[in-house]
Amino acid sequence: MSTAPTPTKEQLSDYCHNLLRPGNTNCAGCGMSMGLQWLDEALGEDRPTLVIPACCGIVTAGAFPTSAYGVPTVAATFASAPAVATGVSVVYRLNNEDRPTVCWTGDGGTYDIGVATLSAAAERNEDMIYVCYDNEIYGNTGGQRSSATPEGVVTSTTEKGKAERKKDMMAIMAGHRIPYAATLSLAHREDFLRKVRRARSLRGFKFFLILSPCPTGWKSEAEDSVDLIRLAVRSGLFPVYEVFGGVRYRVNVQPDGTPVEEYMKRQRRYTKGKTDAAVLRRFIEDQWHYLNGMVRAFPAGPND
Amino acid sequence: MVSGKQDGVLTGAFYLDGDHACAEGAIAAGCNFVAGYPITPSTEIVERLAQRFPQAGGTFIQMEDEIASSIAIQGAVWGGAKAMTVSSGPGISLMMEHIGLAAMAEVPCVIVNVQRGGPSTGLPTLPAQADMMQARWGSHGDYEIIALCPNSPQECFDLVIRAFNLSEQYRLPVLFMMDEVVGHMTEKVVIPPRETLTIVPRRYTQLSPAEYLPFRAGPDLVPDIVKAGDGYRFHVTGLTHDERGYPVMNAGCQDGLVRRLVDKVRKNADKIQQFDADQLEGADVVVISYGITSRVTMRSVQEARARGVKVGHLRLIVVWPFPETLIRKLATQVRGLVVPEINLGQMVLEVERCAGGHCKVVPVPHAGGAVHDPALITEAIVEAAR
């Protein structure tokens, strides 16, 4: 017997209106949950249709009675979210319905198996917002490496730490010359909301990358999640920036030189394999060498 | 319980689940290349190999998807490796084009399918046996494969070695049809000393480059093989090809090639087939089962015998090629054949075909998500005996 009070009709209506309903099965400290709530806030009354491939995001949609999405949700196959979203968004346009179509995908579905449909939808400049919540691991199957996993990280298929660097998905998407691509920080709410609203105002393909903490996979504490993202931004590991038309760059938050060790030491995925911080420092250095070069050569304009 | 941190090939008695036993069997079979992609309930196999290959000698690569996994292993074969990929449900569906290529280009390899409930995403963590027809017919065109169904962790070890041996002997993809229960159940697994295992080596040609034709078969209808870069003329293609391996796209060449691809299994079926027969002689009813359902059936058969029914149990270990001759003979000797399986009627269609109306054929279907209640099978046995 439930002892919870019966919700009023008004409360029930609020509850149903949430994009991510309370009572879902997501882990505490899940970055994806935060991202969904901020997406909801940014879009306001503008109700999106979600297209979600195999990932923790579709587990969120999961089994009754904990099914958690308060907006229309299409579960795509693993490799195909942008292709499904193409069908959805094109028909909305045909029917003169101005509704946002949002692909909500993990890094496996974005960086690995889904990269062909992602690239093709971007090339066609389909009208959708594509969000990758990147937790740098296959979380749904218990924590295997993906091509978004940083060098040195221990996963169930990289026992001695991953040998390869993380793929630069932002550069790949900018290379498609899409109207808008940006990274979203879960420690910078105003920046996050502004960028999503900006994307909503643009026609064509918009790409977002969220570094999304996963306490289960990162072997971190749930209450550290937002702090970890702040440290990732400050250390320069996760740059917060936007790219207009694929060629005009703007950095939104400058790193402040916080040592990346501060970020690493709070996650056993790094400490377990005794990952050398120099590996990440070199990555950060190379990343900013490239990014600063782009900003200098191709700065965003006043109208961007 | 043993961790995955042993060196080399394991020997001794262990407490393993089917997925881990399958990984150990592959290592024992000499497999040294596995490409895969995470998917429940098969992920534990590749996780184990990711840990064990560095010590045992081999390479595991986590690929970007199952399409890549199922073709990377074929590249590895042409480089000289014994190779395997592992998946389930949607992942196996993505591999279908490459299973056809492996059949066409005669690439020895093993494809493990830890079956889960479908269609589509279905029941990722729960069992089914509903990919049996997909295993046989999933890729386009006419071809034959071999498929085995283990019913225990011990058999996941033993039979995956046979799967590799058959793939080498007949140069084709062998599908290793586990299911979620067999994959995740933990039992005693005895691994014999390596020197006592029968391992079929790759059938590399003894001919000189001047004499060798890559797709000229001997009396067993299977051509000997070379690897790329050995100084032999080498051309591998999914197009219809002649004995040199070069595309020749006409009806005559198609007829010669495709008939041979099919006949090398059909005409060698007696050598390939493997089953367990329990009291078939004098039986009024025979239950035909495979995989995890055969374990449930053992209980049902005991109960039916206790109720006075003369019932035999035929457990298929090699499911494809299907033991047609045996089923035809049984159908003339019994009142009924009972076929329990965790699908809505797949292998029972083969049984019906072979029975040809000589006896009753009673399906005991189950849509998946669990194994049968043994009482259901018992009742079907009793009913069939009437």
Side-chain angles (χ1 to χ4, degrees), chain A:
Chain A
M1 276 281 285
S2 166
T3 53
T6 309
T8 64
K9 206 174 166 188
E10 205 170 52
Q11 283 168 332
L12 204 58
S13 139
D14 278 352
Y15 167 77
C16 292
H17 196 69
N18 284 347
L19 188 151
L20 178 66
R21 290 165 173 163
N24 61 68
T25 56
N26 295 349
C27 305
C30 171
M32 180 189 70
S33 297
M34 277 184 68
L36 284 165
Q37 291 173 74
W38 289 4
L39 174 76
D40 192 10
E41 187 178 346
L43 293 176
E45 292 304 302
D46 222 3
R47 299 285 78 191
T49 296
L50 292 180
V51 179
I52 310 177
C55 61
C56 288
I58 206 60
V59 178
T60 306
F64 184 83
T66 54
S67 189
Y69 289 123
V71 295
T73 303
V74 183
T77 54
F78 206 169
S80 69
V84 176
T86 295
V88 172
S89 67
V90 164
V91 172
Y92 281 162
R93 178 84 69 85
L94 277 175
N95 293 340
N96 286 320
E97 295 176 73
D98 182 27
R99 267 187 243 231
T101 304
V102 175
C103 281
W104 186 264
T105 75
D107 47 300
T110 300
Y111 285 67
D112 291 344
I113 189 170
V115 77
T117 51
L118 170 59
S119 173
E123 186 266 338
R124 295 189 305 267
N125 199 25
E126 301 290 354
D127 187 24
M128 69 181 76
I129 296 173
Y130 186 103
V131 185
C132 172
Y133 67 94
D134 173 14
N135 55 26
E136 304 186 322
I137 203 168
Y138 283 89
N140 207 357
T141 46
Q144 296 79 30
R145 62 90 89 183
S146 77
S147 59
T149 305
E151 186 178 354
V153 165
V154 171
T155 72
S156 73
T157 50
T158 56
E159 198 186 21
K160 296 191 185 332
K162 190 186 170 213
E164 303 83 11
R165 272 190 176 184
K166 184 185 177 84
K167 196 187 271 183
D168 185 353
M169 190 49 73
M170 279 292 286
I172 291 167
M173 295 317 295
H176 289 75
R177 306 293 182 254
I178 52 176
Y180 190 51
T183 61
L184 301 176
S185 161
L186 292 174
H188 296 78
R189 184 167 159 277
E190 294 307 321
D191 183 75
F192 186 116
L193 299 178
R194 176 186 66 78
K195 285 171 172 169
V196 173
R197 286 170 186 146
R198 169 86 194 214
R200 178 63 183 119
S201 73
L202 297 169
R203 267 282 158 86
F205 199 93
K206 288 82 64 176
F207 178 82
F208 287 123
L209 183 65
I210 306 176
L211 180 62
S212 178
C214 169
T216 311
W218 291 14
K219 316 260 184 276
S220 56
E221 297 303 318
E223 66 266 29
D224 281 354
S225 286
V226 174
D227 275 353
L228 285 174
I229 299 307
R230 192 173 289 117
L231 288 167
V233 173
R234 284 185 173 169
S235 64
L237 187 63
F238 182 66
V240 182
Y241 68 111
E242 51 196 338
V243 187
F244 302 88
V247 288
R248 298 183 303 282
Y249 285 71
R250 177 184 292 136
V251 171
N252 310 107
V253 183
Q254 285 295 338
D256 64 7
T258 300
V260 75
E261 288 89 334
E262 297 295 313
Y263 172 76
M264 295 169 72
K265 74 182 185 194
R266 287 158 81 170
Q267 304 169 61
R268 276 190 292 118
R269 63 174 179 153
Y270 283 112
T271 55
K272 197 177 170 194
K274 299 187 173 57
T275 310
D276 188 353
V279 167
L280 263 67
R281 281 198 296 271
R282 278 196 298 274
F283 177 83
I284 291 169
E285 200 175 300
D286 290 351
Q287 174 168 263
W288 282 93
H289 178 72
Y290 174 79
L291 197 51
N292 285 331
M294 297 306 266
V295 171
R296 270 195 305 275
F298 312 107
N303 297 325
D304 287 325

Side-chain angles (χ1 to χ4, degrees), chain B residues 163-218:
Chain B
F164 272 99
N165 287 346
L166 288 166
S167 79
E168 296 296 339
Q169 195 168 349
Y170 294 101
R171 281 192 62 180
L172 41 60
V174 174
L175 280 80
F176 196 60
M177 305 297 285
M178 297 167 57
D179 62 75
E180 185 275 332
V181 176
V182 165
H184 284 163
M185 68 157 64
T186 301
E187 290 181 336
K188 183 178 176 182
V189 176
V190 177
I191 303 183
R194 193 174 196 193
E195 56 276 13
T196 66
L197 298 171
T198 304
I199 307 293
V200 174
R202 185 147 297 163
R203 44 190 302 162
Y204 285 117
T205 183
Q206 304 299 314
L207 299 175
S208 70
E211 301 164 305
Y212 176 72
L213 285 173
F215 292 94
R216 173 176 285 172

Side-chain angles (χ1 to χ4, degrees), chain B residues 14-357:
Chain B
F14 301 94
Y15 193 50
L16 295 177
D17 73 15
D19 279 355
H20 287 183
C22 173
E24 291 301 330
I27 293 170
C31 173
N32 54 357
F33 185 92
V34 171
Y37 189 70
I39 189 163
T40 308
S42 72
T43 311
E44 292 89 339
I45 301 177
V46 296
E47 285 180 336
R48 175 104 178 177
L49 289 166
Q51 293 171 6
R52 288 277 286 120
F53 263 161
Q55 295 115 26
T59 299
F60 164 70
I61 302 182
Q62 188 184 317
M63 301 295 289
E64 66 272 29
D65 59 23
E66 292 87 350
I67 297 174
S69 303
S70 56
I71 196 68
I73 61 168
Q74 299 186 41
V77 166
W78 297 125
K82 280 195 178 183
M84 176 173 91
T85 187
V86 176
S87 194
S88 181
I92 295 287
S93 292
L94 286 178
M95 293 181 177
M96 282 301 147
E97 183 184 2
H98 291 152
I99 291 175
L101 176 60
M104 185 62 144
E106 300 183 69
V107 187
C109 57
V110 173
I111 292 143
V112 178
N113 179 357
V114 188
Q115 295 175 84
R116 65 190 225 185
S120 190
T121 317
L123 300 168
T125 60
L126 296 171
Q129 296 179 307
D131 305 347
M132 301 308 297
M133 284 293 173
Q134 182 195 43
R136 172 66 186 86
W137 301 105
S139 200
H140 56 280
D142 282 314
Y143 65 100
E144 288 270 354
I145 49 86
I146 295 171
L148 296 89
C149 274
N151 76 354
S152 65
Q154 180 68 54
E155 283 198 348
C156 289
F157 177 87
D158 296 337
L159 290 178
V160 84
I161 296 176
R162 177 140 205 257
F164 272 99
N165 287 346
L166 288 166
S167 79
E168 296 296 339
Q169 195 168 349
Y170 294 101
R171 281 192 62 180
L172 41 60
V174 174
L175 280 80
F176 196 60
M177 305 297 285
M178 297 167 57
D179 62 75
E180 185 275 332
V181 176
V182 165
H184 284 163
M185 68 157 64
T186 301
E187 290 181 336
K188 183 178 176 182
V189 176
V190 177
I191 303 183
R194 193 174 196 193
E195 56 276 13
T196 66
L197 298 171
T198 304
I199 307 293
V200 174
R202 185 147 297 163
R203 44 190 302 162
Y204 285 117
T205 183
Q206 304 299 314
L207 299 175
S208 70
E211 301 164 305
Y212 176 72
L213 285 173
F215 292 94
R216 173 176 285 172
D220 66 351
L221 302 176
V222 186
D224 287 338
I225 200 168
V226 295
K227 61 179 197 276
D230 267 357
Y232 288 81
R233 182 172 297 175
F234 186 94
H235 186 90
V236 171
T237 176
L239 286 165
T240 297
H241 46 272
D242 63 11
E243 291 184 335
R244 299 169 304 164
Y246 290 127
V248 176
M249 283 164 288
N250 60 42
C253 190
Q254 169 79 359
D255 187 77
L257 175 62
V258 177
R259 273 186 203 281
R260 183 176 62 72
L261 294 180
V262 166
D263 283 347
K264 73 178 177 183
V265 173
R266 292 185 186 169
K267 293 191 171 166
N268 290 308
D270 289 347
K271 291 177 222 154
I272 298 167
Q273 268 146 16
Q274 185 180 354
F275 50 82
D276 265 353
D278 171 28
Q279 298 185 34
L280 302 188
E281 288 300 317
D284 288 330
V285 175
V286 168
V287 186
I288 301 172
S289 73
Y290 55 90
I292 190 60
T293 305
S294 66
R295 300 280 292 266
V296 180
T297 299
M298 286 176 195
R299 168 73 179 271
S300 311
V301 165
Q302 280 169 6
E303 285 174 356
R305 282 176 185 159
R307 286 163 66 173
V309 182
K310 287 167 74 178
V311 55
H313 184 193
L314 175 68
R315 172 165 82 93
L316 306 183
I317 296 171
V318 167
V319 173
W320 301 111
F322 190 72
E324 299 190 9
T325 316
L326 176 63
I327 305 294
R328 286 210 172 90
K329 185 167 149 241
L330 274 179
T332 62
Q333 296 170 347
V334 299
R335 246 178 259 170
L337 296 170
V338 173
V339 189
E341 46 185 345
I342 310 177
N343 58 55
L344 296 185
Q346 296 195 9
M347 298 312 294
V348 70
L349 300 175
E350 284 293 279
V351 175
E352 275 178 2
R353 179 177 70 82
C354 295

